[in-house]
Amino acid sequence: MIQRIQSLYLLLAAGAGAATLSFNLWTAKLSNGTAISVNASSNYLLFVLYVIIILLALFCIFLFKKRKLQFRLTIFNILFAFAALGYTYYTVKETGNKFAASGTPVATGSFQFPAFLPVLMIILLFMAARGIYKDEKLIKSLDRLR
């Protein structure tokens, strides 16, 4: 199961998801000097999305005998990662707008490194799906030879 390269990609994607879940995604300083931050565990939907991505990636590692199901679940995981990436940036924008509407606008704000890990997760999940597809294609070609 870990001998296959796609299993390593899935494991790395789960690790990137766990890192995204653990650290601040965006930090800002308000005009009154107060520091604020956005992380995945401060927003319920964002937390649930990243937990689903992590668990689905780990679950797909053990589906090595059911390659078609593993491929489909990996594709769904890519869609969840896109949703999490989009919702992360939406949450950051809404947080900035909320403070601006309350009268204390954001003076400076910056995305932290873990905010870019969902892009790495998408790449790793895509590479895993490509490896699963190649395995399935190889098995089909060997079945034709018998």
Side-chain angles (χ1 to χ4, degrees):
M1 105 184 106
I2 294 291
Q3 298 91 329
R4 299 165 58 219
I5 189 70
Q6 56 266 31
S7 297
L8 183 61
Y9 291 145
L10 289 168
L11 188 64
L12 288 173
T20 304
L21 197 61
S22 303
F23 298 109
N24 288 335
L25 302 174
W26 182 71
T27 56
K29 200 166 267 204
L30 299 177
S31 60
N32 63 5
T34 307
I36 60 168
S37 64
V38 172
N39 56 17
S41 45
S42 66
N43 187 316
Y44 182 72
L45 182 60
L46 204 54
F47 179 77
V48 168
L49 272 172
Y50 282 114
V51 168
I52 288 172
I53 292 168
I54 294 167
L55 292 178
L56 199 55
L58 291 175
F59 180 69
C60 283
I61 292 173
F62 298 103
L63 291 175
F64 57 92
K65 290 187 180 182
K66 300 176 182 177
R67 284 175 300 281
K68 289 181 183 179
L69 178 63
Q70 187 182 34
F71 181 76
R72 284 188 199 126
L73 289 178
T74 303
I75 295 299
F76 280 128
N77 211 359
I78 291 171
L79 296 176
F80 282 132
F82 272 118
L85 180 65
Y87 192 69
T88 297
Y89 294 111
Y90 174 77
T91 303
V92 166
K93 183 180 176 187
E94 286 301 310
T95 302
N97 289 343
K98 181 180 75 171
F99 282 105
S102 69
T104 54
V106 175
T108 61
S110 63
F111 284 99
Q112 302 300 312
F113 176 71
F116 301 103
L117 285 177
V119 175
L120 178 66
M121 286 178 358
I122 291 169
I123 293 168
L124 288 169
L125 290 169
F126 176 76
M127 291 171 61
R130 195 177 71 179
I132 295 165
Y133 179 76
K134 283 182 180 180
D135 272 0
E136 184 63 25
K137 196 173 170 183
L138 178 66
I139 296 298
K140 283 183 180 180
S141 72
L142 291 177
D143 285 343
R144 250 180 286 158
L145 292 175
R146 283 191 232 175

